[in-house]
Amino acid sequence: MQDAQVKQGLDAQAIISTILRHKLVVLSAFLIFTTIVTYYSVSKPTIYRSSSIMFFDNSSSNPMLDILDKNGSIPRIDFGYYEIIMTTDIFNVLLRQDLRTDLLKHRDAEYVESALESFQTSQITMKPYKEAAQFIEIAAVSYDSFLVQKLVTVATDLLKRRTAELDKEGLIKGIDFIDEQIELTKNNLEKTELALQALKKKTDMTSKDEEGPLNKIILMKDKLAELETQKQVRESNLNALNSQLDSIQRRMTGNAVKPENESKEESKLKSQIEELNARKVQIFERLGADAYENVEVKKIDQQISQLRDKYYALLSAVDSDGEKPIVGDLNELWKNVFGKKNNEEIELILLKGQARLYAGLIRNFELKNPNLLQDAIDITRLSRSKQVYEETLSSLIKQKENFSIQMYGTTGNLKIIDPAKPPIPIYNKVFTTIFIGAMVGLLIGVALAFGIEYLDTTIKSIETIAGITNIPIIGKIPPIPREDLAENANGVGQLTTKIFGKKIDDEDDDKNMIRKKAMISQLNARSFISERYRALRTNIQFANIDTPMRSILVGSSGPGEGKTTTAVNLAISFSDMGHKVCLVDTDLRKPKHHLLFEINESPGLTDVVLNNTDLSSVIQSSFVKNLSVITGGADAQNHTEIFSSMRMNFLMNELEKKFDMVIYDTPPILLLTDSIILASRVDGVVIVTKYGVTQKQYLQNAIASLNTVRANVIGIVLNEFMYEKKGYYEYAYDNYYVNSEANKSKVGNSI
């Protein structure tokens, strides 16, 4: 939670820092847009507005929509219908023509031409009036008060007239469309009737289902299914009765019932009944359904009924005499069950005969009518189509009559409720417009600032460095102001004369100014810049408390980033504490220290390493107390071999023995390997970056190069860091030190 709050604070701080860094861009965009909008708002002429209100009946007046409505509901016309009419090219052409005609009635031709030109820039709008469903407002704006009212009047009349014309065109097209549909429907109806008559004649079917052959075949199949069911019931009953007779026999004798021998008379009656049934089936197979009315069939039915009655009478006359071993109540039970059994047998014979009869009828009917089902479906479909065509034809004839009546009486759905009102001026909201323009300019300026920041890959903030590496920032050195280097700044003139042996005027070249900046800690020790270098010295001392550092390498990723200035002022800061400090110039290609301190360039570092010159002879004293300097020495070619040599290693060890602090000013890390070689041999490395100069990628590459030799990078110095505003610490420092010195001088003078 705390980390999130810190991150959010850093993000907000980064945004503010970005805006402040590019405040000129933001301010320029703000002023430009504000000026433009202000000029436009003040110089803009007065705009006039006129409007009219119309009412429309939202039921459809277009018959084509009624015909094509599949749900049978009345279509509705909404606001969009009239809006589309007004946006068509033909409406704009007619509007221009009508406007010209109307204006010529009141003004001269010159004004009319001028008005028509301004009509190009006029705005005509149509919208629902106060969100009412059936009210629309037509409005126009123009710089010409007379033109704007005429424009609304002409547009309102034209919209009403144009709507009526479109409605009439729709009625005419509707009648033509209905005539086509009537002719098409008549043809379809005639074809359907002919096809239906031909199919009925072919199949001998009527329109009523109960009299048709399809219903007959269905009834016969239902009857056959019923007979089959009755057969199964009779057979089940017969099996149950046989089982019951067997049980009675077992109870009396322990033996099963033996098949009962029928009498000759019983067998004869059964045979006669079966023969009559067979004859009846043959007749039905020959005559079909007409056999129900046949005389011979009726005679056979009477004979079967007589034989069945005679058979039942014979069964009832049977007594229990003979050798049947059944006595008492069981005798009566046996006779009763046996009689039921014989009855079931004769009924089963009759049912089988009827089933064969209906099966034959169905077979003959299907042979005679093989496409019965499909024919029935076709007849139903054609009958339904005929009905639909008849209803459609009747509806179309009524529609045509209605359209014919409407065509001679249509006036459109639009009614003018409130004609064009007198024009009213629309006052410009100057302050609102200016405010909006200023805000837009401000937003554009901020966007430009962030765009420039995004395209700028240089380091311009602490947050940028924090996003690149975890190495801490141990120093933030702001630009050295010229007033801190002035001759009257805390005795700079006297110190300059004492140090360099002469007074340096403001008219001196940049060389003298560079020397002053490089020694600001000596020339103006009371300045805020000098205090920043002393803070850097303190941070380096506390980088490793347990093992104090004896040697430091000051380097940068590229040239011109202030590493020499940082190294010199850092050496002066350490010497101010009483430490013996040695400043070594290892930039052999571009040595500078002999110019800054006005000492001899040779003998120097190269003389010790290459020519075995005594070390003590190259250590030169400077005008700064406790500070010694070793210059680059004589020019040499093999610089890499110099720093890799054992002699260089010996020199570095000897310097650490002689001095409390040795500071090496090295060439750019990415340009030469000299710095990388030395970085692996010193106690700590300080990387100097310059605000707005050092590329982020270069800094990353420099750190990566130092990591390859496991150099101890103790921190990063952000040189010429641009503070957004003078902080409290700087104000307090100036008031406490600078002003106090001035007060002392005043007191001394008064004494």
Side-chain angles (χ1 to χ4, degrees):
M1 179 70 179
Q2 194 172 13
D3 294 340
Q5 291 178 351
V6 172
K7 183 177 181 181
Q8 184 177 3
L10 290 175
D11 293 341
Q13 185 177 359
I15 292 173
I16 296 174
S17 299
T18 301
I19 294 174
L20 291 176
R21 278 196 299 272
H22 302 284
K23 52 183 174 291
L24 291 179
V25 175
V26 176
L27 184 61
S28 299
F30 173 78
L31 292 176
I32 290 172
F33 272 84
T34 303
T35 303
I36 293 174
V37 172
T38 302
Y39 176 78
Y40 174 77
S41 300
V42 173
S43 61
K44 184 180 179 181
T46 304
I47 299 177
Y48 295 91
R49 183 181 187 274
S50 179
S51 62
S52 64
I53 300 175
M54 304 184 75
F55 171 81
F56 67 92
D57 183 4
N58 61 358
S59 61
S60 174
S61 61
N62 192 334
M64 295 297 293
L65 298 178
D66 295 329
I67 295 173
L68 299 177
D69 184 22
K70 297 181 180 180
N71 298 324
S73 60
I74 299 176
R76 318 297 288 180
I77 290 181
D78 58 4
F79 168 79
Y81 173 73
Y82 301 102
E83 189 176 28
I84 293 174
I85 292 176
M86 287 191 65
T87 57
T88 58
D89 293 337
I90 188 172
F91 184 88
N92 292 327
V93 172
L94 293 174
L95 178 61
R96 190 177 183 85
Q97 293 176 355
D98 292 353
L99 182 62
R100 177 190 295 273
T101 303
D102 190 69
L103 289 175
L104 287 173
K105 297 177 182 178
H106 304 86
R107 299 294 176 90
D108 55 18
E110 183 179 356
Y111 171 82
V112 172
E113 294 301 325
S114 175
L116 291 176
E117 289 180 2
S118 63
F119 166 67
Q120 300 291 339
T121 60
S122 301
Q123 297 180 357
I124 303 176
T125 60
M126 184 175 70
K127 63 180 181 179
Y129 180 69
K130 295 183 179 180
E131 299 182 357
Q134 294 178 255
F135 290 87
I136 58 178
E137 179 187 39
I138 297 177
V141 293
S142 176
Y143 298 118
D144 190 334
S145 58
F146 177 77
L147 174 63
V148 71
Q149 185 175 9
K150 288 297 180 181
L151 184 58
V152 173
T153 302
V154 172
T156 303
D157 295 338
L158 177 60
L159 179 61
K160 185 176 185 299
R161 186 176 79 247
R162 182 63 181 156
T163 304
E165 291 174 355
L166 291 175
D167 291 344
K168 189 172 183 179
E169 291 177 6
L171 288 168
I172 295 173
K173 291 181 180 179
I175 293 174
D176 294 340
F177 178 77
I178 289 175
D179 288 337
E180 295 176 1
Q181 295 299 313
I182 288 175
E183 188 65 25
L184 180 62
T185 304
K186 286 181 178 180
N187 294 335
N188 292 334
L189 179 60
E190 183 178 355
K191 293 178 182 178
T192 303
E193 289 178 342
L194 293 175
L196 183 61
Q197 292 175 3
L199 187 58
K200 285 184 177 181
K201 184 177 181 181
K202 171 187 173 185
T203 59
D204 193 23
M205 293 187 182
T206 62
S207 59
K208 295 182 180 180
D209 291 339
E210 63 271 18
E211 297 178 1
L214 181 61
N215 188 55
K216 290 181 181 179
I217 189 66
I218 292 173
L219 292 176
M220 286 189 291
K221 287 186 176 182
D222 290 342
K223 184 63 177 178
L224 178 60
E226 181 182 354
L227 292 173
E228 292 293 339
T229 302
Q230 292 179 5
K231 278 174 56 181
Q232 292 177 2
V233 172
R234 295 293 181 181
E235 289 175 351
S236 178
N237 292 340
L238 188 60
N239 291 333
L241 291 172
N242 286 329
S243 177
Q244 190 174 3
L245 289 174
D246 183 66
S247 176
I248 295 172
Q249 179 67 22
R250 288 180 183 277
R251 290 171 60 188
M252 298 304 301
T253 64
N255 298 321
V257 178
K258 297 180 180 180
E260 194 64 37
N261 294 327
E262 292 181 333
S263 64
K264 294 181 179 180
E265 192 171 358
E266 290 177 2
S267 299
K268 182 179 179 181
L269 289 174
K270 286 184 178 181
S271 298
Q272 291 177 352
I273 291 173
E274 290 179 354
E275 290 176 359
L276 290 172
N277 273 327
R279 286 176 55 194
K280 184 177 178 182
V281 169
Q282 292 176 357
I283 295 172
F284 269 92
E285 289 178 350
R286 186 176 69 254
L287 300 179
D290 296 335
Y292 284 106
E293 305 297 330
N294 188 269
V295 177
E296 186 177 359
V297 171
K298 294 180 179 180
K299 183 178 179 181
I300 291 174
D301 288 338
Q302 292 178 357
Q303 291 176 354
I304 290 174
S305 179
Q306 292 173 359
L307 291 174
R308 185 171 55 183
D309 294 341
K310 188 175 181 181
Y311 181 79
Y312 288 154
L314 181 63
L315 290 178
S316 62
V318 176
D319 63 18
S320 59
D321 293 341
E323 298 179 357
K324 296 183 185 295
I326 303 176
V327 293
D329 293 336
L330 291 176
N331 182 29
E332 293 297 328
L333 179 60
W334 190 90
K335 290 193 323 181
N336 185 22
V337 173
F338 185 76
K340 290 181 179 180
K341 171 191 171 185
N342 290 331
N343 288 339
E344 292 295 333
E345 287 179 347
I346 193 65
E347 290 296 331
L348 184 59
I349 292 172
L350 294 173
L351 288 173
K352 288 181 178 180
Q354 292 181 7
R356 286 195 300 272
L357 171 64
Y358 277 97
L361 289 174
I362 292 172
R363 186 167 55 255
N364 292 337
F365 195 89
E366 289 179 345
L367 291 174
K368 184 178 179 181
N369 301 281
N371 299 322
L372 177 64
L373 182 59
Q374 184 61 41
D375 291 340
I377 294 174
D378 291 341
I379 288 177
T380 303
R381 176 179 56 80
L382 291 172
S383 298
R384 176 58 182 163
S385 298
K386 177 185 175 183
Q387 181 181 359
V388 170
Y389 287 137
E390 289 174 346
E391 293 174 354
T392 302
L393 183 61
S394 176
S395 175
L396 290 173
I397 293 173
K398 292 180 180 179
Q399 285 278 5
K400 183 178 179 180
E401 294 174 355
N402 293 333
F403 293 168
S404 299
I405 296 173
Q406 293 180 25
M407 186 175 64
Y408 295 102
T410 181
T411 59
N413 290 344
L414 283 174
K415 296 178 178 61
I416 300 175
I417 303 300
D418 189 5
K421 301 176 183 178
I424 57 175
I426 302 175
Y427 296 100
N428 297 329
K429 299 179 180 179
V430 178
F431 294 105
T432 303
T433 306
I434 293 175
F435 176 77
I436 294 174
M439 291 299 101
V440 171
L442 184 62
L443 292 176
I444 292 176
V446 172
L448 289 174
F450 279 97
I452 295 172
E453 186 73 15
Y454 176 78
L455 297 175
D456 188 1
T457 59
T458 60
I459 294 174
K460 289 187 176 179
S461 66
I462 300 173
E463 293 78 12
T464 304
I465 298 177
I468 295 175
T469 179
N470 294 325
I471 298 175
I473 298 174
I474 59 175
K476 294 179 290 183
I477 311 299
I480 301 175
R482 297 186 67 89
E483 56 266 20
D484 285 357
L485 301 176
E487 295 296 331
N488 58 352
N490 295 331
V492 172
Q494 292 82 355
L495 283 173
T496 303
T497 304
K498 179 179 178 181
I499 293 171
F500 300 116
K502 62 179 180 178
K503 184 176 181 180
I504 300 177
D505 298 328
D506 293 337
E507 298 177 357
D508 289 350
D509 56 12
D510 293 338
K511 178 180 177 181
N512 291 326
M513 185 59 66
I514 293 173
R515 294 172 66 190
K516 288 183 179 182
K517 287 184 178 180
M519 298 182 182
I520 183 66
S521 296
Q522 180 69 16
L523 298 179
N524 194 349
R526 298 292 187 179
S527 67
F528 180 72
I529 306 299
S530 301
E531 180 60 28
R532 292 290 84 204
Y533 281 114
R534 287 192 285 271
L536 172 61
R537 176 197 64 193
T538 303
N539 291 334
I540 293 174
Q541 287 178 320
F542 281 94
N544 193 346
I545 300 177
D546 297 333
T547 306
M549 295 183 183
R550 303 294 299 274
S551 60
I552 297 174
L553 184 146
V554 179
S556 62
S557 60
E561 296 181 1
K563 57 181 177 53
T564 298
T565 301
T566 302
V568 171
N569 284 281
L570 187 60
I572 295 173
S573 298
F574 272 105
S575 65
D576 288 343
M577 296 180 65
H579 294 305
K580 293 178 63 179
V581 181
C582 182
L583 180 62
V584 184
D585 188 357
T586 60
D587 190 354
L588 302 181
R589 292 166 180 80
K590 290 185 178 182
K592 302 182 184 69
H593 291 193
H594 65 285
L595 298 175
L596 295 175
F597 290 92
E598 287 194 341
I599 56 179
N600 297 325
E601 182 180 2
S602 181
L605 180 64
T606 58
D607 297 289
V608 176
V609 177
L610 297 177
N611 301 327
N612 292 325
T613 303
D614 185 57
L615 177 61
S616 59
S617 64
V618 300
I619 300 176
Q620 303 183 59
S621 300
S622 70
F623 51 79
V624 180
K625 187 179 180 180
N626 298 324
L627 176 60
S628 300
V629 180
I630 297 178
T631 60
D635 190 18
Q637 300 299 324
N638 50 347
H639 299 152
T640 303
E641 288 76 3
I642 292 175
F643 295 111
S644 302
S645 64
M646 295 297 295
R647 185 67 178 169
M648 183 66 190
N649 192 35
F650 170 77
L651 182 147
M652 296 177 70
N653 292 333
E654 288 298 318
L655 288 176
E656 291 184 14
K657 293 177 183 179
K658 291 179 178 292
F659 296 95
D660 298 325
M661 175 63 70
V662 182
I663 299 176
Y664 296 92
D665 182 12
T666 64
I669 297 173
L670 296 180
L671 297 182
L672 302 170
T673 59
D674 304 354
S675 301
I676 303 299
I677 297 172
L678 291 177
S680 63
R681 298 180 179 181
V682 297
D683 295 337
V685 177
V686 175
I687 302 176
V688 179
T689 61
K690 188 173 183 180
Y691 177 93
V693 174
T694 304
Q695 299 288 331
K696 292 184 284 187
Q697 186 62 43
Y698 292 171
L699 177 60
Q700 288 179 316
N701 295 340
I703 295 173
S705 299
L706 293 172
N707 289 335
T708 57
V709 296
R710 298 183 180 180
N712 179 26
V713 182
I714 58 178
I716 297 174
V717 176
L718 182 54
N719 196 25
E720 295 195 9
F721 176 69
M722 300 293 292
Y723 287 91
E724 284 77 14
K725 60 180 180 178
K726 196 171 185 181
Y728 168 78
Y729 179 76
E730 189 174 354
Y731 276 117
Y733 183 85
D734 289 347
N735 291 331
Y736 184 76
Y737 286 105
V738 179
N739 294 338
S740 63
E741 291 293 328
N743 292 333
K744 286 181 180 180
S745 300
K746 292 179 180 179
V747 172
N749 293 331
S750 63
I751 292 175

